Amino acid sequence: MSGTVPVAELLFSEADATPMSTEETTVKSWEHARACLRAAPKSWLSTVRPDGRPHVMPVMPVWVDDAPWFATRPTSRKGRNLAHSTRCAITVASAELDLVVEGDAIRTCDGATLHRVAAAFETKYGWQFTVRDGSVYDHSLPGSPEYGFYRVGPTRAFGYGTDGLTATRWRFG
């Protein structure tokens, strides 16, 4: 996503016969959406179970290398779902914009990236991770469980104004 500027457009047109605004001036910038994602203390992650059923859980996002990241244990339902299919959606509600970001959550094992993401978690939440051998661990918990850091690479996103009348779609690539 670094350096990529998505196409921003109205989600609805006059032909859709919807009460949503069709005024081009209501289209939100991706920078506006990124600011909401960066500031969010919590978001909701939707993954797909192997049998196709959805699974939705809250996660604490951080913003690193121009993308949202989250942590989860590889053995959690989220982690097992992502091992089966990287497809996901992350949602954020803010005072200015409600967002839905669809994409793929990819786990990283790159040491330098793990250190940057761990630092972001410590800065934002005070959550300390230890990086070792391509994985991260939380030594404050019994058994020092392993976690994975996942980067959400968006394929498309939707933003809804809090007025209930404006909507923007961003298409990536």
Side-chain angles (χ1 to χ4, degrees):
M1 194 167 97
S2 182
T4 302
V5 177
V7 174
E9 61 193 7
L10 285 168
L11 182 55
F12 299 100
S13 71
E14 291 181 25
D16 291 318
T18 178
M20 300 298 274
S21 173
T22 56
E23 293 294 321
E24 290 287 334
T25 58
T26 66
V27 171
K28 304 289 187 230
S29 69
W30 180 241
E31 181 54 42
H32 187 138
R34 288 191 317 193
C36 290
L37 282 166
R38 276 192 297 265
K42 175 178 69 175
S43 61
W44 293 90
L45 177 73
S46 177
T47 59
V48 181
R49 296 174 193 260
D51 66 4
R53 292 180 298 135
H55 178 259
V56 180
M57 293 298 287
V59 294
M60 297 172 8
V62 294
W63 192 266
V64 177
D65 297 340
D66 204 27
W69 292 74
F70 64 91
T72 193
R73 295 179 188 182
T75 57
S76 71
R77 174 78 286 168
K78 293 184 296 288
R80 294 191 322 265
N81 290 350
L82 292 169
H84 174 74
S85 172
T86 60
R87 290 177 291 169
C88 70
I90 192 166
T91 63
V92 172
S94 77
E96 299 176 21
L97 195 62
D98 295 330
L99 296 168
V100 177
V101 179
E102 297 177 350
D104 292 284
I106 306 298
R107 183 178 177 183
T108 189
C109 295
D110 173 69
T113 304
L114 292 175
H115 282 286
R116 284 194 309 278
V117 176
F121 273 107
E122 185 167 4
T123 298
K124 187 170 181 180
Y125 302 106
W127 191 2
Q128 295 182 339
F129 289 98
T130 299
V131 177
R132 186 177 71 242
D133 301 325
S135 291
V136 292
Y137 301 87
D138 184 345
H139 292 309
S140 72
L141 296 175
S144 298
E146 176 186 1
Y147 279 79
F149 290 160
Y150 295 80
R151 178 188 186 276
V152 178
T155 54
R156 70 181 152 187
F158 305 91
Y160 299 91
T162 55
D163 60 7
L165 300 174
T166 57
T168 301
R169 173 179 42 220
W170 296 275
R171 292 180 292 124
F172 296 82

